[in-house]
Amino acid sequence: MAEPEFTATGVRIGRRLRSLTRAGQVRIAGGRLELLTSYGREIDSAPLGEVRAGKPWFGSDDRATAEVDGRRYLLRLGGQGGEPGGEDTGPGVARRFIETVRRATGRA
């Protein structure tokens, strides 16, 4: 089975009430999830086996949560558009992110 790959740019990444970046990047490649700032600096990363993804109880369709090694991040995906070239943008990106993580970890 091929490794699932996912890239989203222009992602707002936050922890609790604190915004970590307003134009970050979420990348899944090589069996790892990486949360990056707009400058490409790593916020957090982990093997997909240690990541849980889901939908928050509140908010719109462009939001998802990612729990990485016990740290919960709120992701706002798909609002800004992004660079062309295979990256996921637009509505439904949060759903595709959650499905990609669940499929890779066997929790589908």
Side-chain angles (χ1 to χ4, degrees):
M1 186 166 110
E3 290 286 327
E5 298 212 4
F6 176 89
T7 302
T9 57
V11 178
R12 182 176 289 236
I13 302 172
R15 261 192 93 200
R16 299 187 186 221
L17 296 175
R18 181 176 169 214
S19 176
L20 300 174
T21 183
R22 294 187 309 174
Q25 185 176 7
V26 175
R27 190 174 6 180
I28 297 175
R32 290 186 69 81
L33 169 74
E34 297 177 327
L35 302 176
L36 306 169
T37 66
S38 56
Y39 298 109
R41 197 182 83 213
E42 184 177 290
I43 295 171
D44 206 346
S45 70
L48 283 173
E50 299 175 12
V51 175
R52 290 179 46 197
K55 212 55 187 134
W57 291 355
F58 56 89
S60 59
D61 290 337
D62 65 345
R63 293 179 191 235
T65 59
E67 190 172 320
V68 181
D69 291 331
R71 292 178 297 276
R72 183 171 298 215
Y73 295 94
L74 180 62
L75 310 173
R76 186 171 182 187
L77 298 124
Q80 288 80 23
E83 301 172 14
E87 291 155 352
D88 290 325
T89 58
V93 179
R95 183 173 18 90
R96 287 194 301 270
F97 167 73
I98 294 167
E99 289 171 2
T100 302
V101 171
R102 288 183 178 169
R103 197 175 29 226
T105 59
R107 295 184 191 131

